[in-house]
Amino acid sequence: MNPSHDLQGLKKKAKETFLYALSALLLGIAIGAIDAVFGRVLLFITDFRSAHVVVLLPFLPLAGLGIVWLYRHFNETASKGMTLVMEAGQGKRESIPLALIPLVMAGTWITHLFGGSAGREGVAVQIGATLSHAFARRFHFPDNGRIVLIAGMAAGFGGLFQTPFAAVFFAMEVVVSGSMAYSALLPAAIASFTASATSHVLGLEKFSVLLSQTLSLTDTKTVTYLILFGILFGLTGRLFAVLLQKVKQFMGNVLENPYKRIGFVSIPLAVFLFLAWNGRYCGLGTNLISAAFSGGMIYSYDWILKLLLTILTLAIGYQGGEVTPLFSIGASLGIVLGGILSISPVHCAALGYAAVFAGATNTLLAPVLIGLEVFGANDMVPFLIVCIFAYLVNGDKSIYGAQEVRK
């Protein structure tokens, strides 16, 4: 052994670790601030639309045409969204256009203002990934900045949802399913926690529900039900992922022109969203989540209508994420299943909230941690059971079509 050689290696590793940590800290602050602006504007838009849904929904088709024009006029490549992020993380793409950030933010705000059924997490992850990847390229980080990219994805997710542990493992799991990017653990953790703290300081509030009681696992029947729940929630997530990819492909083949696709299909979409209880299924689905955990009205068909309408909204070209609608689908289905099987509907809603996310994203640790960070650690084992079975029945299907699967 050569002591001087070992010392040189330690110095190099320490310098590298410091640079990654400092970069993650700076990116966490920047991405958390952008998340706060994006999230707070989106919440304002949601409240405004809810108050004026009758006036705004008829303009959903025109809004869709405007979104297509924005992308085609400024940067059409940016319309690929999460696919660009996945390809960059897998080393298949050298850069992500910075124009993606303002375009995806504006497109999502427009979608929600006029009543499209969509989420927000994809936007936050894209913001984080785009900014961090540009930073990595500017300062010539190794491996095309993959570690910094993952840190940026964690910051985007963590800053918006303020679930930093889940954000870290989501970013590490989702790019290549079956392969954890442990080399990015420290930068991702620093970026995620920094972004979460920054967005919180800037007024973005975290959604959380403390489950005071716990599900007893001493009863064989309860454990059996948890396994059944995991299978059903996983199949629901899988259904969402498969249908989303199939409907996108079908719409692209039948109506290749994006103006015609979004213009024609959005007319019946707007009509149905209007007729279905005056916009009950518009937007994020937070109204369904609130109803599930506050004793509000949840209909037996809420979950499937939200699933289908979100798929159609995203498949024809509107902007936004999938995760918050997945949370609402899982919570709504959980209320229904809890009522049928005489298990605490609120607990079932919490389990569905996490497990449908697992089934749709082909991830495991992130959904478990989502459950713990949002609902508390009292039901850690039930969350683990349902998410494991949701993950197992997923069959490597994902809402992210560019996700790689490594056996």
Side-chain angles (χ1 to χ4, degrees):
M1 292 180 64
N2 187 334
S4 63
H5 181 73
D6 289 344
L7 184 60
Q8 293 256 339
L10 285 172
K11 286 182 178 179
K12 182 180 178 182
K13 185 65 177 177
K15 181 181 178 181
E16 182 182 275
T17 301
F18 174 76
L19 289 175
Y20 274 121
L22 179 61
S23 300
L25 181 66
L26 296 174
L27 286 166
I29 293 171
I31 294 166
I34 298 172
D35 273 356
V37 172
F38 169 71
R40 293 190 66 176
V41 171
L42 187 58
L43 291 174
F44 170 80
I45 284 172
T46 298
D47 291 339
F48 184 82
R49 185 204 63 243
S50 297
H52 304 90
V53 67
V54 175
V55 176
L56 293 169
L57 251 179
F59 293 96
L60 183 61
L62 288 177
L65 295 174
I67 291 170
V68 173
W69 181 86
L70 282 173
Y71 275 95
R72 300 202 80 177
H73 185 73
F74 290 102
N75 194 306
E76 193 168 4
T77 301
S79 64
K80 294 181 180 179
M82 281 296 294
T83 297
L84 302 181
V85 174
M86 294 292 178
E87 289 176 350
Q90 296 156 6
K92 298 175 181 177
R93 174 174 291 275
E94 289 295 319
S95 64
I96 307 172
L98 280 172
L100 182 148
I101 294 176
L103 285 172
V104 74
M105 289 174 68
T108 302
W109 286 336
I110 293 169
T111 296
H112 283 273
L113 178 61
F114 293 98
S117 177
R120 55 187 171 177
E121 117 293 334
V123 182
V125 173
Q126 289 173 55
I127 290 169
T130 303
L131 192 61
S132 61
H133 199 54
F135 179 90
R137 284 173 54 79
R138 173 66 179 81
F139 293 100
H140 307 290
F141 279 82
D143 195 19
N144 199 29
R146 182 170 182 264
I147 290 176
V148 180
L149 173 76
I150 291 172
M153 292 173 66
F157 195 108
L160 189 65
F161 287 112
Q162 293 175 18
T163 53
F165 285 108
V168 169
F169 285 92
F170 175 79
M172 289 169 57
E173 281 185 282
V174 75
V175 176
V176 181
S177 177
S179 175
M180 291 284 284
Y182 286 113
S183 57
L185 179 59
L186 179 61
I190 292 171
S192 179
F193 278 89
T194 303
S196 179
T198 301
S199 65
H200 183 72
V201 167
L202 294 176
L204 194 61
E205 296 182 2
K206 174 186 175 181
F207 170 75
S208 62
V209 177
L210 182 61
L211 299 178
S212 56
Q213 297 182 338
T214 59
L215 289 172
S216 174
L217 299 181
T218 58
D219 185 357
T220 305
K221 184 175 75 171
T222 302
V223 176
T224 303
Y225 282 162
L226 289 176
I227 294 171
L228 177 62
F229 288 152
I231 293 170
L232 293 175
F233 291 140
L235 291 175
T236 302
R238 175 177 175 150
L239 175 66
F240 186 101
V242 171
L243 280 182
L244 180 61
Q245 300 304 327
K246 294 288 187 184
V247 175
K248 277 185 177 180
Q249 185 179 29
F250 175 78
M251 290 293 176
N253 292 337
V254 173
L255 293 168
E256 294 184 13
N257 186 304
Y259 287 107
K260 292 181 179 179
R261 182 163 62 245
I262 205 165
F264 292 155
V265 182
S266 61
I267 294 173
L269 174 63
V271 170
F272 189 85
L273 286 168
F274 181 80
L275 294 176
W277 295 271
N278 287 336
R280 180 176 178 85
Y281 305 109
C282 291
L284 296 164
T286 49
N287 58 319
L288 298 179
I289 295 171
S290 296
F293 294 107
S294 64
M297 176 58 70
I298 292 291
Y299 300 108
S300 60
Y301 45 79
D302 276 337
W303 69 275
I304 188 64
L305 288 183
K306 185 63 179 175
L307 183 149
L308 295 173
L309 292 168
T310 302
I311 287 170
L312 188 57
T313 297
L314 296 174
I316 61 176
Y318 288 99
Q319 292 298 311
E322 300 90 356
V323 168
T324 306
L326 286 170
F327 291 157
S328 71
I329 292 163
S332 302
L333 180 57
I335 292 290
V336 174
L337 293 177
I340 293 172
L341 298 176
S342 300
I343 292 183
S344 168
V346 173
H347 277 85
C348 292
L351 295 171
Y353 185 102
V356 171
F357 172 53
T361 58
N362 197 23
T363 59
L364 175 58
L365 295 179
V368 173
L369 290 167
I370 279 281
L372 302 184
E373 290 189 272
V374 173
F375 302 105
N378 290 336
D379 278 320
M380 181 174 67
V381 175
F383 275 114
L384 189 58
I385 291 171
V386 295
C387 287
I388 285 174
F389 280 91
Y391 177 76
L392 289 175
V393 301
N394 162 272
D396 291 328
K397 306 300 180 184
S398 176
I399 54 177
Y400 309 118
Q403 182 186 67
E404 279 189 1
V405 177
R406 188 169 297 170
K407 298 293 186 181

